[in-house]
Amino acid sequence: MSPQKRVFSEQETSEVLQKAAKLQEAAADAAYTPGITRSELDRIASEAGIHNKFVEQALGEIQTTKPKRSWLNLSEEFERVVDGEVDPDDFDQILLDLKPVGHRHGLQQVGRTVSMQTYYKGAVCQVEITSRKGRTRIKVKSVPLMAYFFSLHPALILGIVAGVNIGARGPWLIGCMVFFFAMLAGIMGFSTLVKKGHSSAQALVDVLEKRVEDHTSQLRENLVKSSPAPVVPVTEAEQLQDMPG
């Protein structure tokens, strides 16, 4: 069936719109504006024949901050969109006190997008901020790098070394058991640290969202204060009073 005549299901519609938005964002289209306001959401629902009361009900039932999860939930990506634009020269104020993880994953800025890997509360997080068309999109993704090096990696080395040495000097079954319990402890530790990384990423995206909100609010206040006072026209009576004699 021709796509022009096809009727799409609600799930297909959601997937198509999300994919189209990502493609347009990746293409750096000048007309692209991150996020959707509540009024825009109501308009889209109305055009689709969905009553506003069911939109209200859906917003109350769903978790709007649900993260995007990777395979085996090794990483989670949290996303926020703030109504306000940050000048690229001011990105350093938003990323204040955040240190990059080495030179390879250091601070990178392309146009109105800045990205970096940073340590936050004992975890490695991938940060990306894009600001354009009056809105700022913040993405923070947990990276299970530290979790691996502090749990699975030492457990694997310890299990192999201890298991081989014990198996060489005594029953090989005991060596296998030592390796098994070392890996079990490593897996449990890895799982705990991965969850901590998810919590750190969520905490960081909340911090960055607050910084962007405060920064853009301050800019609006400064703009209002610096705006010239409106010129009040002088009435004819006032002009006559100012005339000499």
Side-chain angles (χ1 to χ4, degrees), residues 28-238:
D29 193 324
Y32 174 74
T33 303
I36 295 177
T37 64
R38 176 57 195 276
S39 60
E40 292 170 339
L41 179 62
D42 290 338
R43 178 176 55 80
I44 293 172
S46 176
E47 291 176 355
I50 302 174
H51 197 279
N52 181 260
K53 69 176 182 180
F54 296 111
V55 176
E56 290 280 359
Q57 182 178 343
L59 289 174
E61 293 178 358
I62 67 173
Q63 183 182 359
T64 56
T65 59
K66 185 177 180 180
K68 184 190 300 181
R69 293 181 170 88
S70 67
W71 181 69
L72 294 180
N73 197 26
L74 295 180
S75 67
E76 290 185 351
E77 183 179 85
F78 299 86
E79 184 176 335
R80 303 282 192 276
V81 178
V82 180
D83 186 18
E85 186 173 339
V86 179
D87 190 275
D89 294 335
D90 295 334
F91 279 147
D92 58 335
Q93 300 180 30
I94 307 301
L95 299 174
L96 184 68
D97 69 26
L98 295 180
K99 305 299 182 182
V101 180
H103 298 289
R104 182 180 178 184
H105 303 287
L107 185 66
Q108 299 179 354
Q109 183 170 340
V110 180
R112 306 192 70 83
T113 299
V114 63
S115 62
M116 67 182 296
Q117 276 194 6
T118 184
Y119 294 110
Y120 189 76
K121 292 188 176 181
V124 177
C125 300
Q126 177 69 36
V127 177
E128 180 182 291
I129 300 177
T130 301
S131 193
R132 61 163 68 123
K133 302 288 286 185
R135 292 178 193 162
T136 303
R137 182 193 299 276
I138 307 166
K139 293 182 181 180
V140 178
K141 181 179 180 180
S142 60
V143 180
L145 181 65
M146 297 294 292
Y148 170 76
F149 280 109
F150 282 111
S151 57
L152 279 179
H153 187 68
L156 178 61
I157 295 176
L158 178 63
I160 292 176
V161 173
V164 169
N165 288 334
I166 293 175
R169 297 178 181 179
W172 63 269
L173 183 59
I174 296 180
C176 291
M177 291 180 63
V178 169
F179 176 78
F180 171 78
F181 284 111
M183 290 304 300
L184 181 61
I187 292 173
M188 292 176 63
F190 179 72
S191 177
T192 301
L193 292 177
V194 165
K195 291 179 181 178
K196 185 180 183 303
H198 298 341
S199 300
S200 298
Q202 185 173 14
L204 180 55
V205 77
D206 290 338
V207 168
L208 295 177
E209 180 184 23
K210 181 67 165 55
R211 289 181 181 179
V212 172
E213 289 176 345
D214 292 343
H215 181 78
T216 53
S217 296
Q218 187 63 45
L219 289 178
R220 294 191 190 99
E221 292 178 5
N222 294 340
L223 183 62
V224 171
K225 292 178 181 179
S226 62
S227 299
V231 178
V232 179
V234 180
T235 63
E236 184 176 352
E238 293 173 334

